[in-house]
Amino acid sequence: MDTSLATSSDPSSADRRPARIRIYEQLRSELLSAAFSPFHRFTEENVAERFVVSRTPVRDALARLEADGLLIKRDGALFRYTPTLEEFTDLYELRILLEVQGIDRALNDPTVHHDRERITAEQLVWTTRLEQGVAPDAGFVDADEQFHIALLRAAGNLELVSALERVNRRIRPIRMHDYLTQDRVDATISEHLEILELVLTGRLSEARDFLRTHVGQSQSIVEARAARAMQISHMTPGLDPHL
């Protein structure tokens, strides 16, 4: 069902955040979970009507979503951005280069060391997730991105981090297809912990190779699921491509 026709915001709700933030976060969550068809038009008018607000906070929220790369302007309206499979493959190639470079720079320069405090903190986060369990959810892509950003940031080159953040924003609409099954969530958590352990124990060559395999496997799975979703959405215009 088209989310625009689903539950609308209640102005009497206890949520007292500014409207622009509330609208931005609600739409962002829905866009990440593929709640909207790629054919759904986002306009200031229809979003303002849904949330029962003026167009001013809507304009701000939509601008932020466009800057995030989740919406793209086309034919006088905004639509959920979904890269083509060709674009996705190119972007994933860039992603792998950026992430592997974070480890390579430590391998090639004895003066470069990973920030152990940052790595240890990340290890605690993922150990907790392993112990508590995480249910499949498209929004898990956020946690996965945070891991890879933290790992690259620990290597010390903030320009690499900025570049990876830009790539992440562009591939996120397709990457959300990776975390819809329990086996993928569980495997991701275990592999993250393995990568962190390899880095902490100084086995950087193994960490680099494992990281490349980890990201490459994700690419293969996401491409297959996204291709199926695209096929469904093109066969039935307006149908939300849930897998």
Side-chain angles (χ1 to χ4, degrees):
M1 181 174 65
D2 194 329
T3 303
S4 64
L5 301 178
T7 304
S8 62
S9 296
D10 181 354
S12 65
S13 169
D15 189 344
R16 300 303 181 190
R17 293 173 298 167
R20 67 182 187 282
I21 295 176
R22 176 166 48 86
I23 296 167
Y24 165 76
E25 292 186 352
Q26 177 70 24
L27 291 179
R28 180 177 182 274
S29 176
E30 292 169 353
L31 286 164
L32 283 172
S33 63
F36 291 103
S37 160
F39 304 96
H40 176 80
R41 293 170 61 91
F42 292 85
T43 65
E44 292 179 10
E45 292 82 358
N46 63 28
V47 175
E49 180 179 357
R50 174 190 170 189
F51 286 91
V52 196
V53 296
S54 70
R55 291 169 56 177
T56 300
V58 169
R59 186 177 303 117
D60 181 81
L62 293 180
R64 288 186 65 186
L65 291 166
E66 187 177 6
D68 285 346
L70 292 174
L71 293 177
I72 185 171
K73 188 166 293 182
R74 187 174 70 246
D75 300 329
L78 291 167
F79 297 84
R80 177 165 68 86
Y81 170 71
T82 302
T84 66
L85 288 179
E86 291 78 13
E87 290 172 333
F88 181 78
T89 299
D90 290 345
L91 288 165
Y92 239 93
E93 181 180 352
L94 177 56
R95 178 192 171 191
I96 292 173
L97 287 173
L98 292 169
E99 295 205 38
V100 169
Q101 178 59 28
I103 297 179
D104 275 342
R105 68 191 305 268
L107 277 168
N108 299 329
D109 186 344
T111 68
V112 174
H113 303 283
H114 282 80
D115 183 336
R116 292 185 64 86
E117 184 176 348
R118 189 181 298 276
I119 294 293
T120 301
E122 195 67 16
Q123 189 178 48
L124 178 60
V125 168
W126 289 92
T127 298
T128 301
R129 288 187 172 125
L130 178 66
E131 294 171 348
Q132 295 181 350
V134 177
D137 185 272
F140 187 68
V141 69
D142 280 340
D144 182 75
E145 285 181 5
Q146 290 165 17
F147 165 81
H148 289 278
I149 290 296
L151 179 63
L152 189 55
R153 191 183 301 277
N157 188 322
L158 297 185
E159 290 302 321
L160 289 176
V161 173
S162 295
L164 180 59
E165 288 174 335
R166 290 192 295 271
V167 171
N168 282 341
R169 284 195 294 270
R170 295 187 64 189
I171 63 178
R172 186 181 301 153
I174 288 185
R175 284 202 64 228
M176 64 190 178
H177 295 300
D178 195 7
Y179 302 112
L180 303 180
T181 60
Q182 191 66 58
D183 63 316
R184 279 301 299 151
V185 172
D186 293 344
T188 297
I189 294 172
S190 296
E191 289 170 14
H192 284 181
L193 286 168
E194 177 67 18
I195 293 168
L196 293 170
E197 180 65 20
L198 290 171
V199 172
L200 281 172
T201 55
R203 292 176 285 170
L204 296 184
S205 293
E206 293 178 58
R208 177 193 58 197
D209 295 341
F210 195 96
L211 176 62
R212 184 184 287 114
T213 299
H214 168 74
V215 177
Q217 182 179 24
S218 172
Q219 177 182 0
S220 298
I221 292 171
V222 172
E223 282 182 345
R225 291 178 178 174
R228 177 170 171 263
M230 289 178 181
Q231 181 181 31
I232 292 173
S233 65
H234 285 301
M235 289 173 59
T236 312
L239 177 66
D240 290 345
H242 294 296
L243 296 179

